[in-house]
Amino acid sequence: MLGYVVNGLAAGGGYALAGVGLSFTIGVARVLNFAFGSFYMLGAYLVAYMTGNAVGLGYLLAVFAMLAGVLVIAYAFGRGVVLPVAHRSEAAVMIATLAASLFITNIALQLFGSDVTFIRSPFEDHVYHVGDARVSQQAIIALIAAPLVTVALVAFLRHTLLGARIRATAQNPQLAGATGINVSSVFLTAVVIGTMLAALAGALYGPTTVIDVFGGDGMLLKAFTVAALAGMGKLWGGDDRRRGDGHRGERLQRVRDALVRRGVHLRAAGPDAAVLPAGRVPRAMTPTMTTAEPKASPATSARPRRRWTLAWVVAAPTLLWLVMLAVDDSTSSILQLAAVVAALAVSFQIVYGLLGELSLGHAALFGVGAYAYASLASRHQPIVLAVVAAGVLGLLAGAAVAAVTVRLGHAYFAVATFAVASLGAVAVSSSGPLGREQGIIGVPAFPGLPGLSQPQTQLIYTGGVLLLCLACLALFRRTRAGLALETVRADAALARALGVDVALARIVATGLSGLLAGIVGAVFAQQARYVSPDVFGLYYIVTPLAVIVVGGLRWTAGAVVGAVVVVVVPQLVGLSPIANQIFAAVVLFAVVVLAPEGVAGALARIGRRERALPTSLGVAAPPDAPPGEPGEVVLKADGVTVRFGALTAAADVSLELRAGEVLGLIGANGAGKSTFVNAVSGLAPLAGGRVWVGGTELTKRRAHVRVRHGLARTFQQVLIAEDLTTRQNLAVAASQGRFFRTRASGQAIERAAADCGLTPLLDVHASALSFMDRRLLSIAMALAPEPAVVLLDEATAGLSEQERVSVRQLVRGVAGTRGTAFIVIEHDVAFVTEVSDRMAVMNHGRLIVEGPSGVVLADPEVVTSYLGTA
Amino acid sequence: MALEVTGLRVAYGPITAVDGVSLTVEPRTVTSLVGPNGAGKSSAIRAIMGFVRSQGEVLLDGEPLSKRRTHARARAGLAYVPDGRGVFGDMTVKENIRVAAGAGWEARWEALAALFPVLGEKRAARASELSGGQQQALSIARALASAPRYILLDEPSMGLSPVAVKGVVEAIEQLSGTGVGVLLAEQNAALALSVSSMVHVMVRGEIRRSAEPGELRGTDELRALYLGRAAA
């Protein structure tokens, strides 16, 4: 017994060492390195090679030589793979390192072959007998290595200057830079140290077991588990929960980051520098105000779109038929594989392209479908039943994965789905009825089609499932559910504010994706005539990803283009399977670094330059109505208190708002205005107090529900779904985030657009709009659900004098004609004075004064709070 | 010998946050940027430190900094105290100083502990355990620890109680005594007036008025700029 424990601990030592390395990389460089497992394998293999017959070094010498070699490789990896993408999204880093992992694994396969090998270590030969098990010296070494290295690492971090610098960078990279620390160098050091520890783990643990090229994948998951259990803390990412009146420095950084994310290139331009977004038509910033003559007829009507769709419905199957007739058998089998991969990629696109979550588990859903079909069909069940089962199981698996991971951050989601795929492989490999490692052979194919040969039939089936997936994607993108997903992708906080149930959206997306992946799995199984645990493997995880990234995430037909590049071309050229995968890895990495939007992005950029934008109509001046009596109370806040740790951002704030009123909320920076608004809209947790909208208490309700009770808001940054048109953005808002069209929404869209003068721009992509029009769109999105109360958070930031006049007219107009109540947070005191009926001032989290503007602004406490004391 | 900023321009896409700001900071003096929120004071400071891309020239004692990254600017002699208390929370007070000071930090520590007694008292405490005012003192000391020639302070009084603000004022007054030049961005105009020898009033990205504190104190000028016409 004791022997098993010791051996188990030795294995644990190997994982622990790897875990230490991974946490170091994640903690300092904030990078989730998917190539980590490959370095573990590389360490083991290099030592095996050097202690083997060809070279014949002693074990210890081999380990040192290996470390020297890995140092060079790790440095190249850090500089060449990680640093170029480190400043971009977490997804970019994960994909880049995943590509590197595929690359390294296949190079190793090429060099070392797929046979297992051994490391000759003298320590493995010295064996102790503990109880009834044998424990080698090597196992003991592996066991004590992890704590020793950890102690050494901690000592290094704590007592050396370099260690202090590394810790400082881990805590606050920006401040570290300001202190003179070269943050990129520190990141690189962390990546190198982390990967070297992985290689060392491979070398130390390797002699106790067999080495094979695929040992790395499992190690990555084990290392990640160790690191997570050890308290890596919340991995960066997660939902964007707005933190309210954050420090201004942070806010500006967020604005900048948001703009950079949208492709606004911050080039230092020439003297006449309006810095323009790449590829967009420049629009003068002088808005067209006051007049409201309707200009050209609405940009595009529904009819051209239907014609376009009809063309595809006819052309695509015809094209498929022609291709089938034209190609020979060997090309046909290449195309069949490409079609399956592309179809799988399309199902993956629903989760990654629409929802924006990097799911690495598509192989699992695909595998589930393949095995379901294979086991049912080979047991003589009707084929239709087998296919349906495949789809249903895929759907359930997808929904289950999403439900379990729903509150986790992006990185956790990626790793969790990756783990599910690995789990799937293990599960089927150990299952007798599912054929263990051999899988299931002799899987029946779908019935032949009259007059067609076998390859032709299969091309029709595989091509057909691809067309089915494309059609589903294209149709789904147009539904309210599809649009709701895209808003989640744009910004989770925005989606919640519009009423989208983000958790449900994730489950729906992954479930639908699972349904399609399962069916594709069934088609694959019947085409290949067998299934094996390989369907859960790295090839089916990475290749669809590569296909989508190359083709373009945002393009419905992207998978087809991507599949041609990634699957068809290398096969036609006659690359070996290994070279094939290396090619896929290289292409994937190149695209991620150089052209992240893929072929689709390149085409879109060309297309956009040629189109001129219609101009917005501007906001009409409100009718000259006498100010009416304010109506009944529509918003009541009582004792609202918000704490972030030790900081009380809002303290006991109470106020009431009546229908048709405009309340200006002002205060010095850091006073708590945004925090209060976040608390009312449900995006910041209440430490105390209650909130009512209409008569309904919303204190404990989730954020996305609040819009359905009449509460809408905008954000300090302009938050809109960039990749959707104006109309689509408004559609999500008008349906209050629901997954289906509501009865009143069509009219609500038109009305909100008309209020803000955006009618001519309804079918224009939001990313092409000018800054002012985007600002107006975000306000229109708050008006579209026809709320009782609208919270406007710094709606005039960045606007010119003229544009502020428009916003003022808009607010007064809507308040007067529709009785909507507004809370307007502003720093521009002059603007607020003119737009509001009364004002409230916050300072240090408290509401200090409330009343008509003249009175409030003359109050000495208010003046002091703004101008300060010394 | 001065920190010279000429024609500084910062744009975030279509928003121009800083539009042609020029100023000079002499050693041993405190220069302030005051103005209402959104005026661009923080953006200007962050651009000088190199956190955001900008146009225009930044010369530190004649050395051009415009093409250098943040850490290179820090090594050239520029130090930065961010808004919201820039300290390394999980490191002790002593370690915060050490990280900034580099080699020879022990000597620097003694000098700093003399200037900021709170550092000596709390040397082994984690930075996150200090009060807001203490953290701000630590942040300023950390900036001094790298022996800079100029220090940029971004809204040091924000979020602090009036008592802590007094501490900040004292700390700033100590700074010019050490020979560095200070550029201060402050929303709290009264504080800025009390410590500076030169004040630049920024509104919407531009400097509207440059004056010595005496000229602005007690007038309605600032009140009008901050609170709009209605208040003046």
Side-chain angles (χ1 to χ4, degrees):
Chain A
M1 183 43 134
L2 182 60
Y4 288 120
V5 169
V6 175
N7 277 328
L9 286 175
Y15 307 155
L17 190 57
V20 167
L22 191 60
S23 340
F24 194 64
T25 308
I26 295 180
V28 177
R30 319 234 169 145
V31 163
L32 185 53
N33 180 5
F34 267 92
F36 196 74
S38 309
F39 279 89
Y40 173 86
M41 178 272 295
L42 205 59
Y45 250 99
L46 285 177
V47 171
Y49 178 71
M50 284 190 277
T51 56
N53 290 326
V55 180
L57 282 181
Y59 173 70
L60 284 176
L61 198 55
V63 172
F64 279 112
M66 178 279 289
L67 285 176
V70 168
L71 175 61
V72 173
I73 301 176
Y75 182 79
F77 169 73
R79 276 310 282 273
V81 175
V82 178
L83 277 191
V85 288
H87 62 284
R88 292 219 237 122
S89 62
E90 305 118 27
V93 176
M94 289 194 274
I95 296 177
T97 52
L98 197 59
S101 168
L102 192 64
F103 182 82
I104 295 177
T105 305
N106 279 285
I107 295 279
L109 256 185
Q110 186 72 27
L111 291 177
F112 302 122
S114 56
D115 298 330
V116 302
T117 182
F118 302 88
I119 297 180
R120 280 194 208 147
S121 160
F123 301 106
E124 182 62 15
D125 302 326
H126 279 99
V127 172
Y128 302 111
H129 288 280
V130 181
D132 48 347
R134 55 185 291 280
V135 177
S136 65
Q137 267 187 347
Q138 188 73 34
I140 308 255
I141 291 178
L143 173 58
I144 62 178
L148 273 183
V149 167
T150 310
V151 166
L153 200 55
V154 169
F156 165 70
L157 287 177
R158 226 182 248 164
H159 298 296
T160 64
L161 183 57
L162 179 56
R165 291 200 169 131
I166 293 177
R167 282 163 42 210
T169 308
Q171 286 173 41
N172 192 335
Q174 206 182 61
L175 185 62
T179 324
I181 298 174
N182 187 337
V183 168
S184 301
S185 294
V186 170
F187 278 5
L188 185 58
T189 309
V191 171
V192 169
I193 291 181
T195 47
M196 283 184 65
L197 285 177
L200 182 61
L204 290 182
Y205 187 61
T208 66
T209 178
V210 298
I211 317 286
D212 78 347
V213 170
F214 301 103
D217 301 338
M219 181 47 70
L220 169 68
L221 289 175
K222 286 164 188 154
F224 187 80
T225 310
V226 169
L229 287 174
M232 216 163 27
K234 179 177 85 95
L235 261 185
W236 73 96
D239 278 347
D240 302 340
R241 293 209 174 243
R242 299 272 320 212
R243 284 285 192 89
D245 223 3
H247 300 298
R248 211 163 6 102
E250 258 183 340
R251 175 158 50 92
L252 281 171
Q253 188 63 38
R254 261 185 274 143
V255 170
R256 175 174 170 266
D257 290 343
L259 286 169
V260 170
R261 254 186 285 140
R262 281 161 201 155
V264 176
H265 300 296
L266 304 177
R267 267 175 264 114
D272 67 329
V275 178
L276 289 173
R280 283 176 202 138
V281 179
R283 294 199 64 219
M285 289 291 281
T286 50
T288 56
M289 293 300 140
T290 64
T291 56
E293 323 138 11
K295 297 206 176 159
S297 57
T300 49
S301 59
R303 187 120 16 104
R305 193 188 282 170
R306 271 191 215 123
R307 246 184 264 144
W308 197 231
T309 313
L310 200 59
W312 273 112
V313 168
V314 168
T318 315
L319 193 63
L320 179 60
W321 194 262
L322 290 175
V323 166
M324 174 205 74
L325 292 176
V327 297
D328 63 20
D329 282 0
S330 73
T331 315
S332 175
S333 61
I334 295 174
L335 290 182
Q336 289 166 29
L337 175 64
V340 166
V341 171
L344 180 58
V346 172
S347 77
F348 171 65
Q349 211 173 350
I350 292 179
V351 174
Y352 191 32
L354 287 193
L355 184 65
E357 291 283 349
L358 181 60
S359 153
L360 295 177
H362 263 71
L365 308 176
F366 174 70
V368 161
Y371 265 88
Y373 174 85
S375 23
L376 287 179
S378 11
R379 286 180 177 74
H380 310 294
Q381 299 297 322
I383 290 200
V384 173
L385 178 67
V387 173
V388 168
V392 168
L393 283 178
L395 178 137
L396 291 177
V401 168
V404 165
T405 57
V406 100
R407 296 224 183 277
L408 298 183
H410 305 308
Y412 274 114
F413 183 75
V415 177
T417 49
F418 186 79
V420 168
S422 301
L423 208 62
V426 170
V428 298
S429 306
S430 2
S431 159
L434 293 179
R436 288 194 209 276
E437 256 116 44
Q438 277 70 45
I440 303 175
I441 55 173
V443 176
F446 290 166
L449 296 172
L452 297 180
S453 70
Q454 178 67 344
Q456 289 178 324
T457 316
Q458 283 304 328
L459 192 56
I460 294 293
Y461 281 129
T462 54
V465 82
L466 172 60
L467 290 182
L468 171 70
C469 288
L470 287 172
C472 284
L473 178 64
L475 289 175
F476 185 62
R477 281 178 78 170
R478 300 226 193 105
T479 62
R480 289 295 154 97
L483 294 180
L485 288 191
E486 300 225 35
T487 5
V488 174
R489 177 170 165 268
D491 192 291
L494 169 68
R496 287 201 177 89
L498 294 177
V500 177
D501 185 344
V502 173
L504 186 61
R506 288 185 171 139
I507 295 176
V508 165
T510 320
L512 177 62
S513 165
L515 173 66
L516 291 179
I519 295 177
V520 175
V523 171
F524 171 73
Q526 65 86 34
Q527 184 257 354
R529 311 299 303 276
Y530 83 99
V531 291
S532 74
D534 284 344
V535 293
F536 291 98
L538 205 56
Y539 179 77
Y540 290 102
I541 294 177
V542 179
T543 316
L545 177 61
V547 163
I548 282 300
V549 170
V550 167
L553 215 45
R554 307 282 318 133
W555 190 20
T556 307
V560 177
V561 171
V564 167
V565 172
V566 175
V567 179
V568 175
V569 165
Q571 297 267 20
L572 281 182
V573 165
L575 293 182
S576 72
I578 291 177
N580 220 314
Q581 298 204 31
I582 292 180
F583 176 77
V586 169
V587 168
L588 177 57
F589 179 71
V591 173
V592 165
V593 173
L594 300 174
E597 294 194 13
V599 172
L603 291 181
R605 218 160 285 167
I606 301 175
R608 220 171 263 169
R609 245 182 230 129
E610 290 156 19
R611 224 183 301 147
L613 287 181
T615 38
S616 70
L617 296 177
V619 177
D624 261 334
E629 276 304 304
E632 78 267 8
V633 173
V634 286
L635 170 71
K636 184 165 141 92
D638 187 26
V640 166
T641 306
V642 181
R643 290 200 193 100
F644 297 121
L647 171 69
T648 304
D652 203 26
V653 179
S654 303
L655 53 81
E656 270 184 14
L657 195 61
R658 292 175 178 275
E661 263 199 305
V662 179
L663 172 72
L665 183 57
I666 63 174
N669 202 43
K673 313 182 289 296
S674 279
T675 307
F676 171 70
V677 160
N678 284 342
V680 168
S681 57
L683 294 176
L686 278 177
R690 301 164 78 181
V691 175
W692 292 260
V693 172
T696 324
E697 179 166 0
L698 294 182
T699 314
K700 298 211 187 306
R701 310 297 298 276
R702 288 189 291 166
H704 69 86
V705 164
R706 298 188 188 210
V707 83
R708 302 184 193 177
H709 291 278
L711 180 69
R713 69 164 296 170
T714 62
F715 292 88
Q716 286 172 352
Q717 308 141 254
V718 174
L719 283 187
I720 53 182
E722 297 281 326
D723 294 312
L724 299 180
T725 62
T726 304
R727 185 190 298 276
Q728 288 171 329
N729 270 282
L730 291 175
V732 178
S735 325
Q736 299 177 344
R738 293 193 176 88
F739 290 169
F740 47 86
R741 219 173 278 251
T742 54
R743 231 180 311 132
S745 57
Q747 254 193 352
I749 296 173
E750 303 285 338
R751 198 147 73 136
D755 281 341
C756 299
L758 295 173
T759 314
L761 295 169
L762 274 174
D763 291 295
V764 173
H765 274 88
S767 53
L769 298 176
S770 73
F771 182 69
M772 173 60 171
D773 288 336
R774 290 152 72 129
R775 194 51 102 174
L776 287 174
L777 174 57
S778 70
I779 299 177
M781 282 160 72
L783 295 176
E786 309 197 316
V789 181
V790 177
L791 311 171
L792 288 182
D793 197 348
E794 295 200 40
T796 64
L799 297 184
S800 71
E801 200 55 58
Q802 274 274 56
E803 290 165 342
R804 285 167 197 243
V805 168
S806 291
V807 174
R808 189 185 81 220
Q809 288 175 337
L810 176 59
V811 171
R812 292 247 51 115
V814 172
T817 53
R818 241 164 276 145
T820 316
F822 285 84
I823 296 186
V824 177
I825 296 182
E826 269 302 334
H827 285 299
D828 181 352
V829 179
F831 169 80
V832 165
T833 316
E834 304 205 14
V835 81
S836 19
D837 298 314
R838 61 189 170 99
M839 286 170 68
V841 184
M842 282 183 75
N843 197 29
H844 291 311
R846 295 191 174 277
L847 193 63
I848 56 179
V849 110
E850 207 195 311
S853 15
V855 169
V856 163
L857 290 178
D859 185 312
E861 201 182 340
V862 171
V863 176
T864 327
S865 78
Y866 264 90
L867 293 180
T869 46
Chain B
M1 296 282 280
L3 177 66
E4 292 163 68
V5 176
T6 320
L8 189 69
R9 208 168 169 282
V10 181
Y12 305 121
I15 312 177
T16 304
V18 178
D19 198 357
V21 160
S22 302
L23 52 84
T24 306
V25 182
E26 310 271 347
R28 296 185 192 286
T29 64
V30 178
T31 306
S32 291
L33 284 173
V34 301
N37 211 281
K41 312 184 293 297
S42 269
S43 294
I45 297 268
R46 293 170 66 80
I48 296 173
M49 198 62 210
F51 290 124
V52 294
R53 294 250 185 89
S54 60
Q55 297 158 259
E57 272 283 314
V58 178
L59 290 174
L60 188 145
D61 291 348
E63 253 184 277
L65 293 185
S66 316
K67 298 222 183 309
R68 299 208 203 159
R69 284 161 51 193
T70 304
H71 68 89
R73 299 190 191 203
R75 295 205 186 148
L78 209 52
Y80 175 65
V81 179
D83 53 348
R85 267 139 322 281
V87 294
F88 297 109
D90 284 334
M91 296 169 75
T92 65
V93 167
K94 224 173 176 186
E95 287 177 319
N96 267 269
I97 300 295
R98 179 193 196 184
V99 142
W105 67 279
E106 277 114 347
R108 211 84 47 79
W109 166 258
E110 296 303 324
L112 288 169
L115 267 184
F116 301 99
V118 68
L119 297 187
E121 291 162 27
K122 296 264 183 182
R123 72 181 65 199
R126 279 208 174 163
S128 54
E129 292 163 12
L130 300 179
S131 74
Q134 291 168 334
Q135 285 183 351
Q136 194 62 290
L138 174 58
S139 191
I140 297 177
R142 179 199 43 76
L144 264 183
S146 51
R149 291 183 252 172
Y150 300 94
I151 293 189
L152 309 176
L153 288 154
D154 194 353
E155 306 261 3
S157 75
M158 187 163 77
L160 292 183
S161 63
V163 170
V165 169
K166 279 211 172 65
V168 168
V169 171
E170 282 166 21
I172 298 177
E173 282 164 352
Q174 305 267 35
L175 284 179
S176 32
T178 63
V180 299
V182 176
L183 179 60
L184 171 68
E186 250 304 340
Q187 205 191 161
N188 183 338
L191 186 163
L193 287 178
S194 74
V195 297
S196 329
S197 49
M198 175 59 104
V199 173
H200 302 283
V201 184
M202 273 186 84
V203 178
R204 298 257 188 89
E206 295 176 323
I207 293 183
R208 288 275 174 89
R209 181 104 157 80
S210 302
E212 291 178 22
E215 298 170 41
L216 291 171
R217 206 171 275 139
T219 65
D220 280 333
E221 234 185 303
L222 280 180
R223 185 196 282 218
L225 280 168
Y226 272 69
L227 292 174
R229 282 179 311 256

